[in-house]
Amino acid sequence: MFLANDDTFSGLFNPGPAAEALISLPTPEARARAVFRRALLRDPDAAELEQASAFLRERTDAPAQAAGHLLWALVSGPEFLTNH
């Protein structure tokens, strides 16, 4: 809970080098795959890819922030916290 709610931890996922690298990818699907690979060291399944891509497509006004939010959601979730 500390990691998921700590301002310092969540601040790591604000637009910065990781998010900037992700938005250089050409499509939301490519960005979603890259986020999953970076955070969970695996590709997303079909449902995860669709949800993550939709999230990124809905936030075209702030793509770096959206990529950072998606990355934060994955690393603060149970799969990351129990496996890494």
Side-chain angles (χ1 to χ4, degrees), residues 22 25 28-56 67 69-75 79-80 84:
L22 292 168
L25 297 170
E29 290 78 11
R31 292 179 199 141
R33 282 188 187 93
V35 169
F36 270 80
R37 288 178 189 143
R38 199 175 277 240
L40 302 177
L41 306 176
R42 66 170 179 84
D43 286 325
D45 65 27
E48 291 169 332
L49 179 60
E50 179 54 38
Q51 287 182 320
S53 299
F55 175 81
L56 295 172
H69 285 183
L70 181 57
L71 188 56
W72 178 83
L74 292 175
V75 301
E79 182 176 350
F80 181 86
H84 300 284

Side-chain angles (χ1 to χ4, degrees), residues 1 3-4 6 9 12 16 19-20 25 29-30 34-35 41 45 48 53-55 59 61-62 67-68 75 82-83:
M1 289 302 294
L3 290 178
D6 182 60
F9 179 73
L12 296 173
E20 295 296 331
L25 297 170
E29 290 78 11
V35 169
L41 306 176
D45 65 27
E48 291 169 332
S53 299
F55 175 81
R59 288 151 183 88
D61 59 323
V75 301
T82 58
N83 294 336

